[in-house]
Amino acid sequence: MTPAGIISAIIIGAIIGVLGRLLVRGKQNISILVTIIVGIVAALLGTWLAGLVGVQTTDGIDWIELLFQVVLAAIGVAIVAGSGRRR
């Protein structure tokens, strides 16, 4: 992976993570670094899931893939924020 690819993954992960965090109700007591990591993982899983469903490559913006990514990020944020409260 090139340095540009790594930077792109971090930026896209941050955006996906923040969008996912906006979907979760209440206050999430997690850092921005954890949000970015959750976003990167959600972006990768969302792309993989879109490939399985057959909607990974479409003309224009891949709205379904983006929806998968944001929903997975919201689930990830909720899990991470919830596990921190139990400790």
Side-chain angles (χ1 to χ4, degrees):
M1 184 175 249
T2 65
I6 293 170
I7 292 170
S8 297
I10 292 170
I11 292 171
I12 291 170
I15 293 169
I16 296 295
V18 168
L19 289 174
R21 199 168 173 169
L22 288 173
L23 289 179
V24 178
R25 297 176 116 189
K27 184 176 191 239
Q28 301 87 35
N29 195 17
I30 60 175
S31 69
I32 191 66
L33 180 62
V34 173
T35 302
I36 292 171
I37 292 170
V38 168
I40 291 170
V41 171
L44 293 172
L45 288 175
T47 300
W48 174 75
L49 186 60
L52 285 178
V53 176
V55 294
Q56 183 178 13
T57 306
T58 59
D59 294 333
I61 299 173
D62 296 328
W63 292 108
I64 297 172
E65 180 179 355
L66 181 62
L67 179 68
F68 286 157
Q69 293 170 339
V70 172
V71 169
L72 287 170
I75 292 168
V77 166
I79 290 170
V80 171
S83 68
R85 288 185 195 145
R86 291 185 203 137
R87 291 182 187 172

